[in-house]
């Protein structure tokens, strides 16, 4: 039986990373902004929540860091799908 920490490492973290990588790609393609992976996690959450919010609401996301420093990681993870 897996502990809570083992469950997070084996199942939750890879899922969160996939969502962050998808958000990284979306923001890069749609806005030309290469976010740091830490910021991409916030963008992933915005992508999830935005469709459920009223149209008159505004979401503000603060991007920090430089995504160009994470390109090696992104390329390694996304490979040919990049």
């Amino acid at each position: 039986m897996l502990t809570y920490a083992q469950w997070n490492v084996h199942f939750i973290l890879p899922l969160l990373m996939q969502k962050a990588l998808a958000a990284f790609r979306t923001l890069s393609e749609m806005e030309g902004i290469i976010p740091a992976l830490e910021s991409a996690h916030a963008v992933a959450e915005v992508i999830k929540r935005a469709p459920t919010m009223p149209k008159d609401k505004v979401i503000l996301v603060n991007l920090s860091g430089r995504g160009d420093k994470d390109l090696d990681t992104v390329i390694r993870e996304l490979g040919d799908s990049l």
Side-chain angles (χ1 to χ4, degrees), residues 36-80:
L37 285 175
E38 297 85 358
S39 296
H41 286 277
V43 173
E45 188 65 21
V46 167
I47 290 170
K48 180 178 110 181
R49 290 184 186 202
T52 67
M53 296 178 62
K55 298 289 184 200
D56 64 335
K57 297 298 178 187
V58 175
I59 301 173
L60 177 66
V61 178
N62 182 35
L63 301 178
S64 61
R66 291 180 35 207
D68 61 317
K69 292 181 178 182
D70 295 321
L71 284 177
D72 288 339
T73 301
V74 172
I75 291 167
R76 183 179 65 245
E77 293 298 320
L78 294 180
D80 291 338

Side-chain angles (χ1 to χ4, degrees), residues 9-53:
V9 168
H10 292 291
F11 299 104
I12 303 301
L13 289 179
L15 178 62
L16 293 175
M17 190 61 171
Q18 287 176 352
K19 291 181 179 190
L21 287 168
F24 180 100
R25 182 180 196 148
T26 299
L27 189 61
S28 297
E29 289 176 351
M30 294 183 77
E31 300 294 335
I33 298 170
I34 303 172
L37 285 175
E38 297 85 358
S39 296
H41 286 277
V43 173
E45 188 65 21
V46 167
I47 290 170
K48 180 178 110 181
R49 290 184 186 202
T52 67
M53 296 178 62

